[in-house]
Amino acid sequence: RPPRAGSAWTPSRWARRGRYADYVNSKAWAKRKRRWFHQHWERTHQLAVCAVCGARPVDLHHMDYGNLGNEDYDALLPLCRNDHNRVHAVWEATPHIRRLGRRTATLVIVAEIRRRSGRS
């Protein structure tokens, strides 16, 4: 994803984005996703559904980037493609939300989308 309109990324931000893009296209990420879905099944005995709308299939949204390649179960949130895109759009467009930090901001955004759609 490119920088927001009117903003510029530092060289270190470009480097981090490059590492992240490499990671999410890697065998390591595919393996981590499989492990997450297995952990989810072991914990709930249910298939993963979107945390916003309950739809399937789901992507896994990073609640933080602190431990790429070794993410905790709780560092990933299942979201359908539509709601994943919505979370990112709000994140990108809302500076005061970004100031909350990625984990808190994600939870706030998800709660607001749920509330507005009558799913709270």
Side-chain angles (χ1 to χ4, degrees):
R1 178 172 76 246
R4 289 179 307 283
S7 70
W9 284 358
T10 64
S12 64
R13 175 78 190 266
W14 278 108
R16 281 193 313 274
R17 290 298 304 167
R19 285 190 301 274
Y20 179 76
D22 290 345
Y23 173 62
V24 296
N25 291 302
S26 72
K27 290 181 182 179
W29 174 237
K31 182 179 176 181
R32 178 60 191 109
K33 287 191 301 186
R34 283 191 303 275
R35 192 170 87 235
W36 187 93
F37 284 106
H38 178 75
Q39 288 174 308
H40 183 77
W41 178 261
E42 290 295 315
R43 289 174 181 219
T44 67
H45 298 288
Q46 297 179 352
L47 296 174
V49 297
C50 177
V52 174
C53 68
R56 295 192 67 241
V58 295
D59 297 330
L60 293 178
H61 173 76
H62 280 90
M63 300 280 280
D64 59 61
Y65 295 124
N67 209 7
L68 288 183
N70 202 18
E71 300 91 342
D72 292 333
Y73 174 85
D74 294 329
L76 300 167
L77 182 70
L79 295 170
C80 69
R81 171 56 35 199
N82 184 51
D83 287 324
H84 198 178
N85 289 340
R86 289 171 73 186
V87 166
H88 280 276
V90 172
W91 169 265
E92 291 294 325
T94 318
H96 70 277
I97 293 288
R98 285 193 304 277
R99 285 188 213 106
L100 297 172
R102 190 168 175 85
R103 177 176 294 275
T104 301
T106 296
L107 296 174
V108 167
I109 294 166
V110 165
E112 183 61 15
I113 294 170
R114 288 179 59 89
R115 187 188 69 76
R116 287 185 182 203
S117 65
R119 294 184 183 109
S120 41

